[in-house]
Amino acid sequence: MASDESKATGGESQDDATNLRLQQKYAEEAAKRFRSDGVAQFVDLKDASSDRVRALKDDPWADHSALNAKPAVKDGARYKFIILGAGYGGLIYAANLVKSGVVSGEGDVLFLDAAGGFGGTWYWNRYPGLHCDIESYVYMPLLEETGYIPKNKYADGPELLDHANRIAKHFDLDDKALFRTTVQSAHWNDESKVWHISITEDRGPEEESRRLELEAQYFFIASGVLTVPHAPKIPSLETFSGYMFHTSRWDYSVSGGKPDNWNLTGLQGKRVGIIGTGATAIQVVPQLAKLAKEVYVFQRTPSSVSWRGQRPTDPEEWKTKIAAKKGWQIARMKNMDRFLTDAAREGEENLVADSWSRVTAYSALVGSPRWGIIEPTPEKIDEHVARLYKLDQPYTEQVRARTATIVKDPDTAARLTAWYPSWCKRVTFSDEYLQVFNLPHVHLVDTEGKGVDSATKDGLVVAGKEYPLDILVLSTGFRTPGHGGGNPAERADIRVFGREGKSLHDKWDEQGASTLHGLYTNGFPNLFFSAVAQTGQAANFVFTVTVWAEHIAQVVADAERAAGPRAVVEVKKEAEEAWAVEIMKRAAWYTSILGCTPGYITSEGQALQTPKDAAEMVKKARSSGWSEGMESFIQLLEKYRAEGSLRAFEVVSATAS
């Protein structure tokens, strides 16, 4: 009779063999999709050489006459806080500044945003089927403060946009924004100790744009993560004679319907093509299928699609369980994060209890406190990666089995099956998407990882076959968050110059990511930003920003208590470098990303390339995140505040002689 030890050893060997076969399958599928041009296979719509493609970036939602009728921001005006970005991120920063008491009146806050209103991603994206994939109770910010009760477990686009305006009104911020604005640069003035910000305000087609110079004591870059729409460089795309638009600029004049009415009557009798099968397309395709004559879905990489489980909010459950205690929302955010990062406490109830909260291996991307720091040795890294694959296997196998069960045609089901770890692409959730491929007028055009070959005036060409189309929808996503090595100025498309004219671009190029907690950087006083490097991260971005915003507001409030209302706060160089060392210690955690298929998370595979020398390797390690998860990061920030939030900063008064 075999001993328990031999049984365990045999079981581990079997698991190891299964793990290895799975990794080999993933590698084979990823190899089909690697391209030498990486992110260069795409073009930002604003930079397209074709006038037609470039015009796809234009704002279809702005009410220019109403915006032009508002009192104009004066050239040379000074504000205490200028916040670049009027989406949820910017609003959360501003709300926390208000709550901390450092915002007291008119002239204290000005939002700058390219959009024509509040909302950020929910302003731009208004496509049919739009919902947030995170539970509304943890995603919609400041629910306790505003007293709002979401209609459903997952909020739709119009509700999310309305909530942005609700937050602005609640905190008396709704008249403190300059929309349709492009920021060119921000310069710190060493003498006056303020930021000089150069902007252009678009006034619509009937008026000339305005160039303005503004001043700010504090400057926040809160321009979001996925903000610059792009498209693949498909040869002759501009020659397509049918209608064409990007999902982030949906054209209801073509499709019929409205952002709050998805009755797409304009699709009747039409052949509609959609390029892309990511998180957006998962929501759009079922809506297209309702009325279009034919739908062609052009796929490079299939999405991992799990169940959604939408349902209305139960008022009694809301009152007695969900929102019963003060502080319920941040507690629920933390609860979801613990389950998502394999760090749930023994006996802890999964409050969100949806598919997202069961993707525990997503911790490969956002970190986990469970395993501590991974030693950067080959054997320890192999052990870590194997553990993540094993953790991921039940979920991915369940999703693959679900696809095979729902999609009736075996070949189509096989082509819709995702072969990559769950951390490699945004996981998706739908109770409609896979089902539409059972309809006779919905056609999957699988490009086998290569993408569309070319366009003609009549349609698209894949593997030598032309697919005639009347309407083409580009569900092709946005510029990768890793653009510019995570430099917040690069992501926001602005130039930022600190003390003695030092460029933030130059600092990033020379040193790599250089921050404290991913929120501020030496040489750039009174500058705060949302980061993708050197910080804590969560799948729920609103949770992440909520944590950042509370901490930054505390730093500003403490600085003003110490130095008065004209405080100048700058992180110390030694604190910044000490933080970089802590981040580099944890870089080995993210080695599992090396097994990923190309996508925006890996900058289309460029992030997987081996550094060319030791200096590049150090820069890459500095661009890692806090690998021990968001709750661990929160505890670290709380410790900073308890010991004195200003201990890592130089704080002076701008009025001191």
Side-chain angles (χ1 to χ4, degrees), residues 335-397:
N335 173 270
M336 177 184 174
D337 188 68
R338 283 194 292 272
F339 276 89
L340 192 62
T341 58
D342 193 31
R345 298 161 183 166
E346 186 175 353
E348 182 176 11
E349 180 186 1
N350 185 342
L351 299 177
V352 175
D354 66 357
S355 289
W356 243 131
S357 61
R358 293 180 169 89
V359 192
T360 53
Y362 205 73
S363 56
L365 195 61
V366 297
S368 171
R370 183 167 181 181
W371 306 109
I373 297 173
I374 305 303
E375 293 180 32
T377 63
E379 59 185 32
K380 290 296 183 182
I381 288 173
D382 287 348
E383 180 182 297
H384 167 61
V385 171
R387 183 167 57 232
L388 285 168
Y389 275 94
K390 185 177 181 180
L391 184 66
D392 193 42
Q393 189 177 339
Y395 178 81
T396 54
E397 286 186 349

Side-chain angles (χ1 to χ4, degrees), residues 232-529:
K233 294 177 181 175
I234 299 172
S236 303
L237 181 61
E238 70 281 359
T239 68
F240 174 62
S241 61
Y243 296 105
M244 178 169 61
F245 49 86
H246 194 278
T247 48
S248 67
R249 308 290 192 272
W250 193 272
D251 192 344
Y252 282 99
S253 71
V254 173
S255 69
K258 297 177 181 179
D260 58 355
N261 177 5
W262 302 333
N263 186 25
L264 309 181
T265 55
L267 303 185
Q268 291 176 327
K270 299 293 195 299
R271 300 162 299 180
V272 182
I274 180 168
I275 302 176
T277 52
T280 294
I282 296 304
Q283 298 179 342
V284 172
V285 169
Q287 302 301 320
L288 299 179
K290 289 179 180 179
L291 289 177
K293 178 183 177 182
E294 305 287 341
V295 178
Y296 294 89
V297 182
F298 294 87
Q299 172 182 275
R300 181 182 66 161
T301 306
S303 274
S304 171
V305 189
S306 189
W307 58 275
R308 169 77 298 169
Q310 175 69 299
R311 60 181 175 84
T313 299
D314 182 334
E316 185 64 22
E317 182 187 13
W318 179 269
K319 181 180 178 180
T320 61
K321 184 176 181 181
I322 296 172
K325 298 179 181 178
K326 186 177 180 180
W328 69 266
Q329 190 175 35
I330 191 68
R332 194 176 182 92
M333 289 176 176
K334 290 179 179 178
N335 173 270
M336 177 184 174
D337 188 68
R338 283 194 292 272
F339 276 89
L340 192 62
T341 58
D342 193 31
R345 298 161 183 166
E346 186 175 353
E348 182 176 11
E349 180 186 1
N350 185 342
L351 299 177
V352 175
D354 66 357
S355 289
W356 243 131
S357 61
R358 293 180 169 89
V359 192
T360 53
Y362 205 73
S363 56
L365 195 61
V366 297
S368 171
R370 183 167 181 181
W371 306 109
I373 297 173
I374 305 303
E375 293 180 32
T377 63
E379 59 185 32
K380 290 296 183 182
I381 288 173
D382 287 348
E383 180 182 297
H384 167 61
V385 171
R387 183 167 57 232
L388 285 168
Y389 275 94
K390 185 177 181 180
L391 184 66
D392 193 42
Q393 189 177 339
Y395 178 81
T396 54
E397 286 186 349
Q398 182 185 57
V399 170
R400 286 191 284 270
R402 180 175 185 266
T403 303
T405 300
I406 291 173
V407 182
K408 295 177 182 177
D409 176 63
D411 180 65
T412 303
R415 293 177 183 276
L416 287 167
T417 300
W419 289 102
Y420 47 80
S422 60
W423 58 81
C424 292
K425 290 173 67 70
R426 185 79 172 182
V427 288
T428 68
F429 313 94
S430 175
D431 297 326
E432 301 176 288
Y433 176 73
L434 294 172
Q435 289 81 347
V436 302
F437 291 97
N438 293 325
L439 301 175
H441 69 292
V442 177
H443 315 284
L444 178 67
V445 183
D446 182 24
T447 69
E448 297 186 350
K450 298 179 177 63
V452 173
D453 294 342
S454 63
T456 69
K457 69 180 182 63
D458 297 319
L460 297 178
V461 177
V462 174
K465 180 180 178 180
E466 183 181 45
Y467 294 85
L469 303 171
D470 302 301
I471 300 170
L472 177 58
V473 179
L474 301 176
S475 183
T476 51
F478 303 85
R479 179 197 288 169
T480 173
H483 179 73
N487 176 355
E490 184 78 21
R491 282 205 340 271
D493 274 337
I494 64 173
R495 305 292 296 186
V496 177
F497 300 89
R499 290 194 184 278
E500 301 177 353
K502 177 77 170 182
S503 164
L504 190 57
H505 283 72
D506 289 344
K507 179 174 182 177
W508 233 258
D509 289 345
E510 292 166 8
Q511 299 176 211
S514 302
T515 75
L516 176 62
H517 303 148
L519 304 176
Y520 9 67
T521 186
N522 175 261
F524 297 80
N526 290 4
L527 174 69
F528 306 94
F529 43 78

Side-chain angles (χ1 to χ4, degrees), residues 67-90:
L67 290 167
N68 290 345
K70 294 183 177 182
V73 169
K74 295 180 180 179
D75 189 25
R78 177 179 288 191
Y79 297 86
K80 186 173 184 180
F81 299 97
I82 286 183
I83 300 174
L84 174 55
Y88 278 3

Side-chain angles (χ1 to χ4, degrees), residues 605-627:
Q606 287 183 197
L608 311 180
Q609 296 174 359
T610 303
K612 62 184 180 182
D613 53 33
E616 286 297 316
M617 186 173 292
V618 169
K619 284 185 182 180
K620 192 167 185 176
R622 289 176 69 108
S623 295
S624 300
W626 180 258
S627 70

